[in-house]
Amino acid sequence: MLVKPFWASTFDIITEFCYIRKIMEYTLNQINEIINGQVIGDGNIKITGVASVEVAAHGDITFIKGEKFIEKGVNSKASAIVVHRVIDELKVPLIVDKDPFMAFVRFLEVLANERMESEPGIHSSAVLADTVKVGNGVSIWPNVVIRDDVKLGNNVTIFPNVFIGEDCVIGDNTTIHANVSIMGKTSIGQKVTIHPGSVIGGDGFGYLQKGGKHVKIPQVGGVQIGDDVEIGANVTIDRAALDKTIIGNGVKIDNHSHVAHNAVIGENTMLIAYAKIAGGARIGKNVMIAEDVGINDHATIGDNCIVGGGSNVYKSLAPGSVVWGSPARPLNDEKKIQSIITRLPDMRTKIKELEKWKVKSEK
Amino acid sequence: MLVKPFWASTFDIITEFCYIRKIMEYTLNQINEIINGQVIGDGNIKITGVASVEVAAHGDITFIKGEKFIEKGVNSKASAIVVHRVIDELKVPLIVDKDPFMAFVRFLEVLANERMESEPGIHSSAVLADTVKVGNGVSIWPNVVIRDDVKLGNNVTIFPNVFIGEDCVIGDNTTIHANVSIMGKTSIGQKVTIHPGSVIGGDGFGYLQKGGKHVKIPQVGGVQIGDDVEIGANVTIDRAALDKTIIGNGVKIDNHSHVAHNAVIGENTMLIAYAKIAGGARIGKNVMIAEDVGINDHATIGDNCIVGGGSNVYKSLAPGSVVWGSPARPLNDEKKIQSIITRLPDMRTKIKELEKWKVKSEK
Amino acid sequence: MLVKPFWASTFDIITEFCYIRKIMEYTLNQINEIINGQVIGDGNIKITGVASVEVAAHGDITFIKGEKFIEKGVNSKASAIVVHRVIDELKVPLIVDKDPFMAFVRFLEVLANERMESEPGIHSSAVLADTVKVGNGVSIWPNVVIRDDVKLGNNVTIFPNVFIGEDCVIGDNTTIHANVSIMGKTSIGQKVTIHPGSVIGGDGFGYLQKGGKHVKIPQVGGVQIGDDVEIGANVTIDRAALDKTIIGNGVKIDNHSHVAHNAVIGENTMLIAYAKIAGGARIGKNVMIAEDVGINDHATIGDNCIVGGGSNVYKSLAPGSVVWGSPARPLNDEKKIQSIITRLPDMRTKIKELEKWKVKSEK
């Protein structure tokens, strides 16, 4: 059920467009073809929306994660529920799957894709250099501007007002959302999603001090982004001074994050919102960087590290480190220190009492 | 005095355009028709600009807030001053109003609106789906792209290069500035302003860990924004995973802030720059979140709380709490702790002295 | 070697476009004409790329900074190296210059400029008000929208999807990158670069509290940006409430930074990423604000101050202050305090022991 691009006057009016609550029209059996569980009850009922168990209304399908949510399921107004076992108290049709959340996610994926897919085509207002190479099934929306020697793989979707600089490569099945700027010499892998407003390949921030002025170090390197990467909204990933800034396969980057020039982010690492990865930092694989964390320039963060929210990491971390705080310390040390800081007024009082006693004793 | 859109070649050249210093041409009497105070002196003088009392030049009107600013008024080069009472030392024409700042603001509102108003019309380069419904007096600037089933209320202004996804609703008198991206299924109330570069309805950041990889939880909910909301530049408000992310009536959000999926912001709450509201957090009404504050996911912040700048709030707060610090503590506790932290070197010295004394005494 | 704009169908196909690794074709002698050093060895070899000494491959030119990098030079695969003296161990052709990094930068500047230059012209999709004045050599890319009474100096380049509001002035040789929004009444100097996604002149965040609601203080001032300023990606600089927000000559501002209304940034000051300069703050000349620093509203930071990363500066700083921490303290104080904080558990233990001793002694 592809969504036809609305600008395509040669296409029919898009009546089959189906998005979540609006005119979603699955039967429960059709949903189960996606979920691949077991339908209990009337599989022919029509489902017109998805919602959480608390919010669901008539027509919606929802899910419960396990035993302790059964009461919520009983009180829900949902018309169908995905559950982990047959539950007699639930009076509506069910889909049973041993992992109901994951099962529900499989259906959500189909809905989310419907929302994003557009039929192939290049809008007449898009401006592409003659040397741009475009794969099969590519969808380029209005006002997209693409410079020389860019290569777009198959099934790439570029939403409106995106700018792509010269010499970029974008892999198959990648989606670039509205108002994104991708500067020249950026290489992006397959199945990547970049959310609106992000800037990939802006100049790194590098200057020489000379005669009391800042002389710019020209930033002539590139950015290389792997496969299965997701980049949030209003993120910035700067080009390298020389060589490349690298984002590994499977990396997920949340809104407002910043990866500075020549940083390297290892595979499957996650950067939560406002991650600040300074120049030349090297983050390992499977690292979890929580919200609002700063990593110092040229610091090395080993594989599998976890950095707690709000931390500033000034020094390199061995693989598997779990740290928190500013400056970041081993988690348990920081917890102990924070707990003592709370008791500082009490400590101060005790020191004063000890001093009084000393003075008295010495008399 | 509407500003005609400049693309409208059928309109006259816009010579009456009036913006602040440039060709602003009010008489003092005309300004007082807006302010509704009392003119003292020559009401026929021409006013060609607005400025602060220190900066004001000949032709400008300014204001002073009260008694202690009289000397500044005397030294000002302004041609007219809005004041709280007749002040003989001021040798220029006055407008008297018991709240001169508020009175001055009433005039500034007129100036600011002049700057933003454009005559209705849809620029020929805008691309609207056939199913878009447009109210009266709507002004759609060049390169705006609007997807299917969007409804725009009356007097909505959409500045250039804005993208609006499918199934959005935008209320009367709302203004969307340049380069904003509003993703599908966003509902926006009346008299809302969204400043440039903001992203509303980008995907929330949600993943399941499965087999060492991050499996995306599709984000298929929406965003609902109330009336009289103002959203700064380069803000991001993510869509809900399911259900809605909600911004209440009268909420004001400053630049670079981030409201994550499924968060709820209560009425008249204020988020100053770089507010980081994590997923599912519930912020009450009339809360003041100062600059660079993080609120933990699923935390509940009661009505009327005040959170000081730079704080990280890890736990829920009762209504009316006033907190500061990272982690956030009651304001007075944090102030005391900060004051003691400054004296830590002294405390350490004292402990050392006490220990020396102990060693000596025990001999 | 100007890059012709690709939309210019009347121009030849751009075959001479030369960008870094791709089809860069300098001989070493040609590079030395730019560097102005001394060629040692075969000056006729072809150089097709630039890279760091570790990454360089056959065809690349690189540099080493001094004696301690000689071994890296020996192990490098570069085809030519810029060095500080003749070094016999290096078996490839050399360019000798007493400051090899600076010499290399001179060549990089040429490469970087090649990438950015475009031949003059205004794309047919750009929408300019009739009253816009355009200097010589201006290059305006697709989908740029410019409102009334804007003046663009000579050799200004405006990349795609930029919006420029009414009454702006942009100086000679300034470059505005894609998806930037410049709101009305902004004045920008010469040789300024603004990277993608930034917003200049959005409304400042100012409200009066009245009857439990936030009444907006209209923001009718402007923004003034000096010469030789560089502004990173997704930065916001707000317009003043009245008067001007001012960015001095030579200021460099990194990604995600925010300069609030009526702030003043002195000449040659540097704001690293996520600088948060609150309303009315006055930052002096040659100040270095490290990453993720907050400066309080109306604080004055004297000339030549250095503020360490992650600091929050609540009070004004005398010229030449070097501070760190949150709240910011003199650097050495903060270092001492941080070192003591690490030992807090130990201090607490010692206090407990002293108390036990006291109790015992007093028996």
Side-chain angles (χ1 to χ4, degrees):
Chain A
M1 203 185 323
L2 278 175
V3 178
K4 292 177 185 172
F6 60 74
W7 62 74
S9 57
T10 56
F11 294 139
D12 297 327
I13 297 299
I14 303 150
T15 50
E16 84 274 37
F17 180 69
C18 160
Y19 174 44
I20 319 301
R21 280 188 170 278
K22 218 180 38 171
I23 46 165
M24 197 178 97
E25 277 191 30
Y26 287 83
T27 64
L28 192 61
N29 282 331
Q30 285 172 327
I31 293 174
N32 192 46
E33 280 169 33
I34 296 160
I35 287 182
N36 205 15
Q38 188 189 357
V39 174
I40 307 293
D42 182 2
N44 293 316
I45 59 163
K46 282 189 179 166
I47 298 298
T48 54
V50 290
S52 68
V53 66
E54 297 92 345
V55 169
H58 181 76
D60 289 341
I61 188 167
T62 189
F63 73 101
I64 59 174
K65 275 189 181 178
E67 290 298 310
K68 63 179 174 183
F69 298 95
I70 290 175
E71 197 182 326
K72 287 197 169 178
V74 170
N75 294 326
S76 179
K77 292 187 176 125
S79 292
I81 309 183
V82 184
V83 291
H84 57 296
R85 63 167 177 88
V86 179
I87 299 167
D88 290 337
E89 297 96 310
L90 301 177
K91 303 302 184 195
V92 295
L94 307 175
I95 294 177
V96 177
D97 185 286
K98 66 184 175 194
D99 186 347
F101 184 28
M102 199 64 213
F104 198 69
V105 160
R106 285 197 290 275
F107 178 53
L108 295 183
E109 280 170 357
V110 171
L111 294 182
N113 286 339
E114 281 172 358
R115 209 183 107 217
M116 281 307 150
E117 275 175 309
S118 32
E119 278 210 4
I122 300 176
H123 190 249
S124 61
S125 69
V127 180
L128 276 65
D130 291 344
T131 52
V132 172
K133 284 183 185 138
V134 172
N136 296 319
V138 164
S139 175
I140 298 182
W141 286 64
N143 310 326
V144 168
V145 176
I146 308 184
R147 284 189 71 174
D148 316 76
D149 297 305
V150 170
K151 286 176 199 147
L152 305 181
N154 298 323
N155 306 312
V156 166
T157 301
I158 315 279
F159 279 100
N161 303 332
V162 168
F163 170 69
I164 302 180
E166 76 291 350
D167 207 16
C168 290
V169 178
I170 298 185
D172 296 348
N173 300 302
T174 281
T175 298
I176 313 292
H177 283 283
N179 288 311
V180 165
S181 305
I182 298 175
M183 307 301 281
K185 212 186 170 191
T186 297
S187 155
I188 298 178
Q190 301 188 8
K191 293 188 195 163
V192 171
T193 301
I194 303 181
H195 290 279
S198 286
V199 178
I200 314 298
D203 275 6
F205 193 73
Y207 298 88
L208 287 165
Q209 313 311 315
K210 193 146 192 185
K213 297 216 170 173
H214 307 294
V215 178
K216 183 178 173 81
I217 302 171
Q219 305 288 305
V220 302
V223 175
Q224 178 183 312
I225 295 173
D227 298 334
D228 294 307
V229 169
E230 184 154 11
I231 295 172
N234 285 347
V235 166
T236 64
I237 299 176
D238 281 355
R239 74 173 52 251
L242 289 170
D243 313 331
K244 291 174 188 169
T245 304
I246 297 176
I247 311 292
N249 293 334
V251 167
K252 312 298 178 188
I253 301 179
D254 199 0
N255 297 358
H256 297 284
S257 291
H258 170 47
V259 179
H261 49 180
N262 294 84
V264 176
I265 314 290
E267 289 184 17
N268 294 318
T269 279
M270 197 171 248
L271 308 182
I272 300 185
Y274 299 88
K276 303 166 236 285
I277 311 299
R282 302 183 75 88
I283 317 293
K285 298 177 184 177
N286 303 306
V287 172
M288 170 66 73
I289 306 269
E291 188 169 275
D292 197 22
V293 164
I295 305 288
N296 215 16
D297 60 288
H298 297 95
T300 296
I301 309 300
D303 295 346
N304 304 304
C305 283
I306 298 175
V307 182
S311 298
N312 281 301
V313 180
Y314 294 104
K315 295 180 179 168
S316 294
L317 297 178
S321 301
V322 181
V323 300
W324 187 40
S326 180
R329 301 182 180 92
L331 179 62
N332 287 333
D333 292 2
E334 177 68 9
K335 279 186 175 172
K336 191 179 287 178
I337 285 169
Q338 285 301 337
S339 130
I340 294 176
I341 283 175
T342 304
R343 288 179 232 155
L344 272 178
D346 177 55
M347 279 170 68
R348 186 145 186 269
T349 306
K350 283 176 176 159
I351 293 172
K352 280 185 182 167
E353 281 167 7
L354 285 163
E355 288 194 305
K356 271 187 210 160
W357 174 58
K358 174 169 178 275
V359 169
K360 206 174 113 188
S361 302
E362 287 179 331
K363 268 181 192 164
Chain B
M1 201 185 324
L2 280 175
V3 178
K4 292 175 186 173
F6 60 74
W7 63 75
S9 58
T10 56
F11 296 139
D12 297 325
I13 296 299
I14 303 150
T15 50
E16 85 275 35
F17 180 68
C18 159
Y19 175 45
I20 319 300
R21 280 187 170 279
K22 219 179 39 170
I23 47 167
M24 197 178 96
E25 277 193 30
Y26 286 82
T27 65
L28 192 62
N29 283 331
Q30 286 171 326
I31 293 174
N32 192 46
E33 279 169 33
I34 295 161
I35 287 183
N36 205 16
Q38 188 189 355
V39 173
I40 307 292
D42 181 2
N44 292 317
I45 59 164
K46 282 189 180 168
I47 298 299
T48 54
V50 290
S52 67
V53 66
E54 298 93 344
V55 169
H58 180 75
D60 291 340
I61 188 168
T62 188
F63 73 102
I64 58 175
K65 277 189 181 177
E67 291 296 311
K68 61 180 174 182
F69 298 95
I70 290 174
E71 196 182 327
K72 286 198 170 179
V74 170
N75 294 326
S76 179
K77 293 187 176 124
S79 292
I81 309 184
V82 184
V83 290
H84 58 296
R85 64 169 178 86
V86 179
I87 300 167
D88 290 338
E89 296 96 309
L90 301 177
K91 303 301 184 197
V92 295
L94 307 175
I95 294 177
V96 177
D97 185 287
K98 66 184 174 192
D99 186 347
F101 185 26
M102 198 65 212
F104 198 70
V105 160
R106 285 197 289 277
F107 178 53
L108 295 183
E109 279 170 358
V110 171
L111 293 182
N113 286 339
E114 281 172 0
R115 208 184 107 216
M116 281 307 150
E117 275 173 309
S118 33
E119 278 210 5
I122 300 177
H123 189 250
S124 60
S125 69
V127 181
L128 277 64
D130 292 343
T131 53
V132 172
K133 285 182 184 137
V134 172
N136 295 319
V138 164
S139 175
I140 299 182
W141 286 64
N143 309 325
V144 168
V145 177
I146 308 184
R147 283 189 72 173
D148 315 77
D149 298 304
V150 169
K151 286 175 197 147
L152 305 182
N154 298 324
N155 305 313
V156 165
T157 301
I158 315 278
F159 279 100
N161 303 331
V162 168
F163 170 69
I164 302 179
E166 74 291 350
D167 207 16
C168 290
V169 178
I170 297 185
D172 296 349
N173 300 303
T174 282
T175 298
I176 313 292
H177 282 284
N179 287 312
V180 166
S181 304
I182 298 174
M183 307 301 282
K185 212 184 171 191
T186 297
S187 154
I188 298 178
Q190 302 187 9
K191 292 187 196 164
V192 172
T193 301
I194 303 181
H195 290 280
S198 286
V199 178
I200 316 297
D203 275 5
F205 194 71
Y207 298 88
L208 287 164
Q209 313 311 316
K210 195 147 190 182
K213 296 216 169 170
H214 307 295
V215 178
K216 183 179 173 81
I217 302 172
Q219 305 286 307
V220 301
V223 175
Q224 178 183 312
I225 295 173
D227 298 334
D228 293 307
V229 170
E230 184 153 9
I231 295 172
N234 284 347
V235 166
T236 64
I237 299 175
D238 281 354
R239 73 173 53 250
L242 289 170
D243 314 331
K244 291 173 187 167
T245 304
I246 297 175
I247 311 292
N249 294 334
V251 168
K252 312 297 178 188
I253 301 179
D254 198 1
N255 297 357
H256 297 285
S257 292
H258 169 48
V259 179
H261 50 179
N262 294 84
V264 176
I265 314 289
E267 290 184 15
N268 294 320
T269 280
M270 197 171 248
L271 308 183
I272 300 184
Y274 299 88
K276 302 166 236 283
I277 312 298
R282 302 182 75 87
I283 316 293
K285 299 177 183 177
N286 303 307
V287 172
M288 171 64 73
I289 305 270
E291 188 169 275
D292 197 22
V293 164
I295 306 288
N296 215 16
D297 59 289
H298 298 94
T300 296
I301 308 301
D303 295 347
N304 303 304
C305 283
I306 298 174
V307 182
S311 298
N312 281 301
V313 181
Y314 294 104
K315 295 179 180 168
S316 293
L317 296 178
S321 301
V322 181
V323 301
W324 187 40
S326 181
R329 301 182 179 92
L331 178 62
N332 286 334
D333 292 4
E334 178 67 10
K335 279 185 174 171
K336 191 179 288 178
I337 285 169
Q338 285 301 338
S339 130
I340 294 177
I341 284 176
T342 305
R343 289 178 231 155
L344 273 178
D346 178 54
M347 278 169 69
R348 187 144 187 269
T349 306
K350 282 176 177 159
I351 291 172
K352 281 185 182 166
E353 282 168 7
L354 285 163
E355 288 195 303
K356 271 188 209 160
W357 175 57
K358 174 170 178 275
V359 169
K360 207 175 111 188
S361 302
E362 287 179 331
K363 267 181 192 165
Chain C
M1 203 184 327
L2 279 176
V3 178
K4 292 177 185 173
F6 59 75
W7 63 74
S9 57
T10 56
F11 294 140
D12 297 327
I13 296 300
I14 303 151
T15 50
E16 84 275 34
F17 180 68
C18 159
Y19 175 44
I20 319 303
R21 281 190 169 278
K22 218 180 40 169
I23 47 166
M24 196 178 98
E25 277 193 32
Y26 286 83
T27 64
L28 192 61
N29 282 332
Q30 286 171 327
I31 292 174
N32 192 46
E33 280 170 33
I34 295 160
I35 287 182
N36 205 16
Q38 188 189 356
V39 173
I40 306 293
D42 182 2
N44 293 316
I45 59 163
K46 282 188 180 168
I47 298 298
T48 54
V50 290
S52 67
V53 65
E54 298 93 344
V55 168
H58 180 77
D60 291 340
I61 187 167
T62 189
F63 73 102
I64 59 174
K65 277 190 182 177
E67 290 297 310
K68 61 180 173 180
F69 298 95
I70 291 174
E71 197 182 326
K72 286 197 170 178
V74 170
N75 294 325
S76 179
K77 293 185 176 128
S79 292
I81 309 184
V82 184
V83 291
H84 58 296
R85 63 168 178 88
V86 179
I87 300 167
D88 290 338
E89 297 95 310
L90 301 177
K91 302 302 183 195
V92 295
L94 307 175
I95 294 177
V96 177
D97 185 286
K98 66 183 174 193
D99 186 347
F101 185 27
M102 199 64 212
F104 198 70
V105 160
R106 285 196 291 276
F107 178 53
L108 294 183
E109 280 170 356
V110 171
L111 293 183
N113 286 339
E114 282 172 359
R115 207 183 109 218
M116 282 307 149
E117 275 174 307
S118 33
E119 278 211 4
I122 300 177
H123 190 248
S124 60
S125 69
V127 180
L128 276 64
D130 291 344
T131 52
V132 172
K133 285 183 183 135
V134 172
N136 295 319
V138 164
S139 174
I140 299 181
W141 286 65
N143 309 325
V144 168
V145 177
I146 308 184
R147 284 189 71 174
D148 315 75
D149 297 303
V150 169
K151 287 176 197 147
L152 305 182
N154 298 323
N155 305 313
V156 166
T157 301
I158 315 279
F159 279 100
N161 304 330
V162 168
F163 169 70
I164 302 179
E166 76 289 350
D167 207 16
C168 289
V169 178
I170 298 185
D172 296 348
N173 300 303
T174 282
T175 299
I176 313 292
H177 283 284
N179 288 311
V180 165
S181 304
I182 297 175
M183 307 301 282
K185 213 185 170 188
T186 297
S187 155
I188 298 178
Q190 302 188 8
K191 292 189 196 164
V192 172
T193 301
I194 304 180
H195 291 280
S198 286
V199 178
I200 314 298
D203 275 5
F205 194 72
Y207 298 88
L208 287 164
Q209 313 311 315
K210 193 146 194 185
K213 296 215 170 172
H214 307 294
V215 178
K216 183 178 173 83
I217 302 172
Q219 305 288 306
V220 302
V223 175
Q224 178 183 312
I225 295 173
D227 298 334
D228 293 307
V229 170
E230 183 154 12
I231 296 172
N234 285 346
V235 166
T236 65
I237 298 175
D238 281 354
R239 72 174 53 251
L242 289 170
D243 313 331
K244 291 175 187 169
T245 304
I246 297 175
I247 311 292
N249 293 334
V251 168
K252 311 298 178 188
I253 301 179
D254 198 0
N255 297 357
H256 298 283
S257 291
H258 169 48
V259 179
H261 49 179
N262 294 84
V264 176
I265 314 290
E267 288 184 18
N268 293 320
T269 280
M270 197 172 248
L271 308 182
I272 301 185
Y274 299 88
K276 301 165 238 285
I277 311 299
R282 302 182 76 87
I283 316 293
K285 298 177 184 178
N286 303 308
V287 173
M288 170 65 72
I289 306 270
E291 188 170 273
D292 197 22
V293 164
I295 305 288
N296 216 16
D297 57 288
H298 298 94
T300 296
I301 308 300
D303 294 347
N304 303 305
C305 283
I306 299 175
V307 182
S311 298
N312 281 301
V313 180
Y314 294 104
K315 295 179 180 169
S316 293
L317 297 177
S321 301
V322 181
V323 301
W324 187 41
S326 179
R329 301 182 180 92
L331 179 63
N332 287 334
D333 292 2
E334 177 68 10
K335 278 186 175 172
K336 192 180 288 178
I337 286 170
Q338 285 302 338
S339 130
I340 294 176
I341 283 176
T342 305
R343 290 178 231 155
L344 273 178
D346 178 54
M347 278 170 70
R348 187 146 184 266
T349 306
K350 282 177 177 160
I351 292 173
K352 280 184 182 168
E353 281 167 7
L354 285 163
E355 288 195 304
K356 271 187 210 162
W357 174 58
K358 174 170 179 274
V359 169
K360 207 176 113 187
S361 301
E362 287 179 330
K363 270 182 191 166

